[in-house]
């Protein structure tokens, strides 16, 4: 069950964090010809944020299940 919670949370939080990073328009602060690097950075930052938040969701679900029993 933890794997399902992690995977679903990872997808949801990845999508949310990627949308937030794109809304910040960080690419304006970099050189114009570095689009590939900026997109790779967006992807990695969004993946890291999503992983951390998904791990938190797994820990919260474990606490709730332990509390319920």
């Amino acid at each position: 069950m933890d794997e399902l919670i992690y995977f679903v949370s990872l997808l949801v939080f990845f999508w949310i964090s990627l949308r937030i990073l794109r809304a910040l328009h960080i690419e304006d602060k970099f050189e114009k010809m570095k689009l590939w690097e900026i997109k790779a950075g967006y992807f990695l930052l969004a993946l890291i944020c999503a992983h951390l938040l998904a791990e938190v969701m797994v820990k919260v679900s474990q606490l709730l299940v332990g509390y319920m029993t």
Side-chain angles (χ1 to χ4, degrees):
M1 185 66 173
D2 289 343
E3 293 85 10
L4 179 64
I5 293 171
Y6 175 80
F7 186 70
V8 171
S9 298
L10 183 72
L11 291 177
V12 169
F13 287 130
F14 178 76
W15 179 75
I16 291 171
S17 58
L18 195 59
R19 296 273 311 224
I20 291 170
L21 287 171
R22 285 186 179 166
L24 293 176
H25 298 290
I26 299 172
E27 66 270 2
D28 296 339
K29 295 166 182 56
F30 292 95
E31 294 178 27
K32 298 295 181 196
M33 301 306 291
K34 301 288 183 176
L35 291 177
W36 186 87
E37 289 87 352
I38 295 166
K39 289 182 180 189
Y42 278 162
F43 182 83
L44 290 175
L45 281 174
L47 191 60
I48 290 168
C49 290
H51 168 70
L52 293 173
L53 291 170
E55 285 290 330
V56 168
M57 290 302 293
V58 169
K59 297 292 183 190
V60 167
S61 71
Q62 288 173 348
L63 284 174
L64 291 176
V65 168
Y67 181 72
M68 296 290 193
T69 58

